Amino acid sequence: MRATGTRHRAAAAMIAAAVLAALAGCQKADPAEPAQTTPQLVTLTPAQLKRVGLYTVALGDYEKSVEATGVVDFDNDQATSVVAPMSGPVARLLVEPGQAVRAGQPLALVSSPDYASAVATFRKADFTARNARRIADADKDLLQNKGVSAREAQQAETDAENAESDRAAALKALNALNLSAVDIQAIAAGRAATRMEGEIRAPISGVVVEKLISPGQLLQAGTTASFTVANLSKMWVNAQIAGADLANVHVGDPARIDTGLGGAQMSGIVDNIAAEVNPDTRAVVARIAVPNPVGALRRQMYVRVHIHSRTPSTGLLVPASAVLRDQENLPFVYVAAPGGRFARSHVTLGARAGDRYDIAQGLQAGDRVVVDGGLFLQFMQTQ
């Protein structure tokens, strides 16, 4: 019995020892203190310090720069849709997209019954007006010699004025069909016009950017859009401005447009800010007028816009080269400490003005930050 009890006590002692060892192992696996997440100071030798450039942080005045995306559009004050002034099938097209035209230049010919009807109406009205005027003038002479009564002479004058009003209305109808003065004179003289088709003419000078009709297509007067003519020497860029940046954008602010085509950049001026918010993007459109002398801007092109606010601001400014990013993409700078040491300091970036950042948090005036050699310090810190 004593031997059995001894064996039981030895087994219990061994189990207790095993439990204590397991607990000891668990304590070693869970450190009492959290791991160090903040990088330590970096110390450089005198030779290494020569590779580092410093900048003293100070308050400074600057003009904020707002960056946004934009879409190019025609200057709608110098672009128009050309609507067919008469009905009928297209007889012939006279221009192609991309062709420069002048105001009044024919763009297409239309075999229009409206044209034939307007010519006939004008000829009839002109003939009637000439005869009525001749009768009125004759009655006026007869009235002086008591050949007709005053009432008859007055009626003849009224008839002549009515006929002349009808002729004027018929002439306006011809003008609406874009007939030339030579053709109208020929019609009035009873001669055949130089052409027997109606013309669709360019209302402004510019470039034919769209051709919307084809030969044989039936047009409806005042309804069918036939061409789009635009003056491309100036374009609009509609920039999408976020609500946070809206206070920094004003009419008259200069802007730079990056087209992304071979590094081409263009300058413009903000000439309008929309009075409403886009319900889809929650952004406000700022319209920028941009000269386009060589045609680099094209409608529906996406561009990058940099608007330079003319309202002065003050802040702690550091060169953009001082700002680095950590593994979580958070911005930081290296601040110089005594003894050739450098500490990493995370910062909150404010507005960007050219090649400088306004630092909202993380630095004080008088701090010296690394502007040249920051990547070298970051490499040293990872070793």
Side-chain angles (χ1 to χ4, degrees):
M1 294 293 294
R2 291 180 179 178
T4 302
T6 302
R7 287 197 299 272
H8 281 291
R9 286 194 295 271
M14 293 177 63
I15 293 173
V19 170
L20 290 175
L23 290 175
C26 292
Q27 290 177 350
K28 289 181 182 180
D30 295 329
E33 296 182 358
Q36 186 73 21
T37 58
T38 303
Q40 300 297 318
L41 293 175
V42 180
T43 303
L44 300 184
T45 66
Q48 291 172 332
L49 285 173
K50 295 179 181 180
R51 303 172 60 179
V52 175
L54 300 178
Y55 174 85
T56 302
V57 179
L59 285 172
D61 296 331
Y62 68 97
E63 294 178 349
K64 293 182 179 179
S65 178
V66 175
E67 296 187 4
T69 57
V71 181
V72 179
D73 197 1
F74 297 136
D75 179 347
N76 290 333
D77 293 335
Q78 302 185 73
T80 184
S81 177
V82 183
V83 178
M86 74 285 290
S87 299
V90 177
R92 186 155 56 101
L93 297 176
L94 305 177
V95 295
E96 292 293 334
Q99 181 175 336
V101 296
R102 64 184 183 280
Q105 179 177 334
L107 305 179
L109 300 179
V110 180
S111 298
S112 174
D114 297 344
Y115 176 83
S117 176
V119 170
T121 300
F122 176 75
R123 282 178 173 168
K124 180 180 178 180
D126 183 61
F127 179 78
T128 302
R130 289 174 186 271
N131 282 342
R133 175 51 59 192
R134 186 166 54 252
I135 293 172
D137 291 343
D139 283 359
K140 188 182 298 184
D141 293 339
L142 290 173
L143 178 62
Q144 294 176 356
N145 298 318
K146 307 298 182 179
V148 295
S149 66
R151 182 177 180 180
E152 290 175 325
Q154 185 177 6
Q155 183 62 49
E157 181 63 28
T158 300
D159 292 342
E161 290 178 357
N162 289 338
E164 288 169 350
S165 296
D166 291 341
R167 181 176 60 186
L171 178 60
K172 288 184 178 179
L174 287 181
N175 289 330
L177 295 177
N178 296 327
L179 267 74
S180 65
V182 174
D183 286 333
I184 292 175
Q185 290 175 359
I187 293 170
R191 302 191 306 270
T194 56
R195 60 182 176 82
M196 292 307 296
E197 296 108 349
E199 288 181 344
I200 301 176
R201 294 174 177 263
I204 62 172
S205 297
V207 175
V208 178
V209 294
E210 285 184 303
K211 180 185 68 174
L212 304 173
I213 57 176
S214 56
Q217 180 177 341
L218 184 63
L219 309 182
Q220 294 294 326
T223 302
T224 306
S226 305
F227 300 90
T228 300
V229 177
N231 184 345
L232 303 182
S233 62
K234 185 178 73 172
M235 301 290 281
W236 284 349
V237 173
N238 295 316
Q240 301 288 327
I241 307 301
D245 295 326
L246 191 58
N248 299 319
V249 179
H250 304 86
V251 172
D253 285 347
R256 187 181 80 248
I257 311 299
D258 293 337
T259 64
L261 301 176
Q265 296 183 349
M266 311 180 75
S267 299
I269 299 293
V270 177
D271 69 354
N272 181 269
I273 299 176
E276 61 182 3
V277 175
N278 186 314
D280 297 324
T281 64
R282 311 308 302 172
V284 176
V285 174
R287 191 180 70 198
I288 303 166
V290 185
N292 189 39
V294 297
L297 294 180
R298 300 174 184 272
R299 189 184 187 193
Q300 299 302 323
M301 177 186 290
Y302 285 95
V303 296
R304 192 70 185 169
V305 178
H306 307 265
I307 300 175
H308 306 288
S309 175
R310 296 177 299 166
T311 303
S313 300
T314 302
L316 292 174
L317 302 178
V318 299
S321 61
V323 179
L324 303 173
R325 298 278 177 172
D326 62 13
Q327 294 180 347
E328 298 180 355
N329 201 34
L330 298 176
F332 72 90
V333 298
Y334 281 109
V335 181
R341 295 179 300 167
F342 297 88
R344 179 184 292 194
S345 176
H346 282 90
V347 295
T348 301
L349 300 180
R352 179 164 181 165
D355 60 350
R356 298 181 297 173
Y357 278 111
D358 176 13
I359 303 300
Q361 292 182 350
L363 290 177
Q364 298 179 351
D367 287 343
R368 294 188 304 156
V369 298
V370 176
V371 294
D372 185 16
L375 292 177
F376 171 70
L377 287 173
Q378 194 172 13
F379 172 78
M380 292 287 295
Q381 214 167 30
T382 59
Q383 300 305 305

